[in-house]
Amino acid sequence: MSFQGFPEAALDFYDDLEADNSKVFWEAHKEIYRSAVAEPMHALTEALADEFGAAKVFRPYRDVRFAKDKTPYKTHQGAFVAVAPATGYYVQIGAPGVRVAAGFYEASAERLAAIRAAIDDRRHGAELERIVESLRDTGWEIAGRVLKTAPRGWDVGHPRIELLRHKSLTAVRDYGFPEVIHTPELVDKIRDDWRAGMPLVEWTVRHGGI
């Protein structure tokens, strides 16, 4: 199955799911989920796999065992191409449209220490600064889990303290729902953006690919 775009029914499905996140709704509309969301997402990631690798298409069910929010279904469909632990390329569709991202989403203590050591290094840290600024200047949102103050053992006056405060670091671009998301051309758009995010991913793999 080649990717032909996400149909309007995918956006409508998530609009309705946000209003009625119940098993009754899901069972009545699971065929729409399959045809309008799951199958196109698999086709999209398969079209990108030649360059970026195979993606994990996430299950639509939420893990509610320890959550206060007991709604059973995710209100978006995501897929992730991992090139290192919790590091790689992401795409999702939901009611707000399509979103892409690249970077690292979490890190063990050992891995985060290695990343921070690289940020501290004048050459490697300056390289990451340039990557992040280039992404920001071209319309990406720089996101991730960020400490409110300096990490333990680091000087709040460090020249790259903003980067050191990150416990995860991602570049995110929201497409919304322009016409292109309903067409095969979305593959090329995402390919171009994942390529733009590649320096951030590759920097993380080099310095924190534990």
Side-chain angles (χ1 to χ4, degrees), residues 108-121:
S108 65
E110 180 184 13
R111 187 166 181 246
L112 190 57
I115 289 170
R116 285 176 173 158
I119 293 171
D120 182 46
D121 180 272

Side-chain angles (χ1 to χ4, degrees), residues 38-192:
E39 288 185 353
M41 181 61 82
H42 280 283
L44 172 64
T45 55
E46 287 169 7
L48 294 162
D50 60 334
E51 181 171 352
F52 296 95
K56 176 181 180 180
V57 177
F58 294 111
R59 288 163 54 87
Y61 313 105
R62 295 183 62 247
D63 184 351
V64 300
R65 290 173 297 173
F66 308 107
K68 291 181 179 179
D69 178 3
K70 299 298 184 181
T71 52
Y73 304 104
K74 297 174 184 175
T75 55
H76 60 268
Q77 176 64 63
F80 184 63
V81 178
V83 299
T87 303
Y89 306 93
Y90 180 75
V91 59
Q92 77 171 40
I93 184 167
V98 171
R99 162 182 287 196
V100 296
F104 76 96
Y105 288 85
E106 62 181 11
S108 65
E110 180 184 13
R111 187 166 181 246
L112 190 57
I115 289 170
R116 285 176 173 158
I119 293 171
D120 182 46
D121 180 272
R122 183 179 301 175
R123 181 166 61 91
H124 301 318
E127 180 188 8
L128 181 59
E129 280 186 310
R130 290 192 295 271
I131 291 168
V132 168
E133 286 309 308
S134 176
L135 288 165
R136 187 179 280 122
D137 289 346
T138 52
W140 292 79
E141 175 192 357
I142 304 302
R145 294 175 57 207
V146 181
L147 296 172
K148 293 181 179 179
T149 186
R152 184 175 300 175
W154 293 93
D155 186 345
V156 70
H158 191 287
R160 288 176 291 282
I161 191 60
E162 295 304 316
L163 288 173
L164 288 168
R165 288 170 55 218
H166 276 266
K167 299 187 73 174
S168 62
L169 179 61
T170 56
V172 180
R173 190 189 290 280
D174 281 309
Y175 294 172
F177 34 84
E179 183 60 30
V180 69
I181 75 168
H182 306 303
T183 72
E185 283 68 42
L186 182 61
V187 173
D188 291 331
K189 183 173 178 62
I190 293 174
R191 188 185 299 276
D192 287 345

